[in-house]
Amino acid sequence: MSMQMQTAKAPGVFAQKSGPSARRLSGILAALLAAPLGACGVQRTLPPPVTPYDHHDRHPVVLSDAPQVLDIFPSSLHGRIDNDTQGRINEFAARYRQFGHGQITMLTPVGSPAAVASAGEANAVRRALAFAGLGGNFTTGTYPVTDPKLAAPIRLSFQSLKAKVAGRCGEWPRDLASGSSVDGWENQTYWNFGCASQATLSAQIADPRDLANPRGETPSDIELRMRNINKMRRGEEPSTMWRLKATDISQVGGGS
């Protein structure tokens, strides 16, 4: 029985070989040694946050060119405009001068008894627009009444810069309590969350341009500044001093 003797090698020492196989082995070893060093420069992707979708990103408030509409309903003063309606038209005209462009459109309803009542006040609306300074800057037209049971106002409109939510509120693309899938199990806000708040905010913006950039600074109040400087020179407190008078709750409203 013959035994093949193998040459023992010290640990960590490779046998000296020559030829193409040795060169391939050397290339593989170099690549393996360089891999840990190359991993130091790799950009790692961080895990998503617990709530990845913010309602400001889902329902952003945007500036768009949209119509401003004012509906004029018939009043008890047949053929005339009451003071409240005249005030609304004046406000409408002021907003047009500030943000509007193009012409104002006045649409008169047709096709119902209510439309006949509104059409009778069309001349009064024209006079009210002229009184507000917009006499020759509007066009007229008609629109059909689809439901004769509803009121049919005279509709004034113009195009202007307006802040509004980009999408629609009230959409529910996913089930909040799905029993057949894991939809809605994540710790995330539902799709419609925050849309009403964004819509309310956009409706309350007096000047939509304030959402894009701040307003310019106004001149300072010289009298107020000098009064505060003089107080500081005298060693007095320049801030506003509020004086509160304690009143018993039983005395509020004239009670004894």
Side-chain angles (χ1 to χ4, degrees):
M1 181 177 181
S2 62
M3 297 180 63
Q4 294 181 356
M5 300 300 294
Q6 295 181 354
T7 303
K9 303 178 181 63
V13 178
F14 296 95
Q16 298 293 330
K17 295 183 180 181
S18 60
S21 61
R23 288 194 295 271
R24 286 197 301 269
L25 180 61
S26 299
I28 294 174
L29 292 176
L32 292 176
L33 293 175
L37 298 177
C40 296
V42 177
Q43 295 183 353
R44 298 179 179 179
T45 303
L46 297 177
V50 177
T51 307
Y53 302 108
D54 187 78
H55 70 276
H56 297 93
D57 300 328
R58 251 190 341 263
H59 309 289
V61 177
V62 297
L63 301 183
S64 62
D65 189 39
Q68 296 276 356
V69 180
L70 175 64
D71 289 339
I72 305 298
F73 295 92
S75 63
S76 58
L77 304 176
H78 301 290
R80 292 187 298 166
I81 296 296
D82 56 7
N83 293 332
D84 292 339
T85 303
Q86 183 66 57
R88 292 185 178 94
I89 294 178
N90 293 341
E91 176 65 23
F92 179 81
R95 193 160 186 83
Y96 170 78
R97 283 189 289 266
Q98 186 176 9
F99 301 111
H101 59 84
Q103 289 186 318
I104 295 177
T105 302
M106 186 179 74
L107 299 179
T108 305
V110 292
S112 71
V116 176
S118 295
E121 298 193 359
N123 292 330
V125 174
R126 291 190 183 94
R127 291 193 298 268
L129 288 173
F131 181 80
L134 303 176
N137 198 26
F138 66 92
T139 59
T140 60
T142 59
Y143 73 92
V145 177
T146 57
D147 190 350
K149 298 179 181 179
L150 300 179
I154 296 176
R155 183 154 297 168
L156 303 177
S157 64
F158 63 85
Q159 293 293 121
S160 71
L161 185 67
K162 189 176 182 181
K164 66 176 185 178
V165 178
R168 294 178 53 188
C169 294
E171 294 183 349
W172 304 90
R174 300 178 63 185
D175 193 354
L176 298 182
S178 176
S180 59
S181 66
V182 295
D183 291 344
W185 289 17
E186 301 90 353
N187 188 20
Q188 301 176 3
T189 57
Y190 52 89
W191 177 262
N192 199 55
F193 178 80
C195 187
S197 300
Q198 292 288 88
T200 303
L201 173 64
S202 61
Q204 294 176 345
I205 298 298
D207 190 344
R209 296 171 296 182
D210 293 339
L211 297 176
N213 43 55
R215 301 186 184 185
E217 295 185 2
T218 57
S220 60
D221 191 340
I222 301 300
E223 294 182 0
L224 180 61
R225 175 177 292 184
M226 293 305 301
R227 185 180 66 182
N228 293 336
I229 292 176
N230 292 331
K231 284 186 176 181
M232 293 181 65
R233 289 174 177 172
R234 295 192 300 266
E236 300 176 359
E237 175 65 34
S239 61
T240 303
M241 303 297 293
W242 297 97
R243 294 178 174 83
L244 301 179
K245 181 180 179 181
T247 304
D248 191 0
I249 192 172
S250 61
Q251 298 177 357
V252 176
S256 57

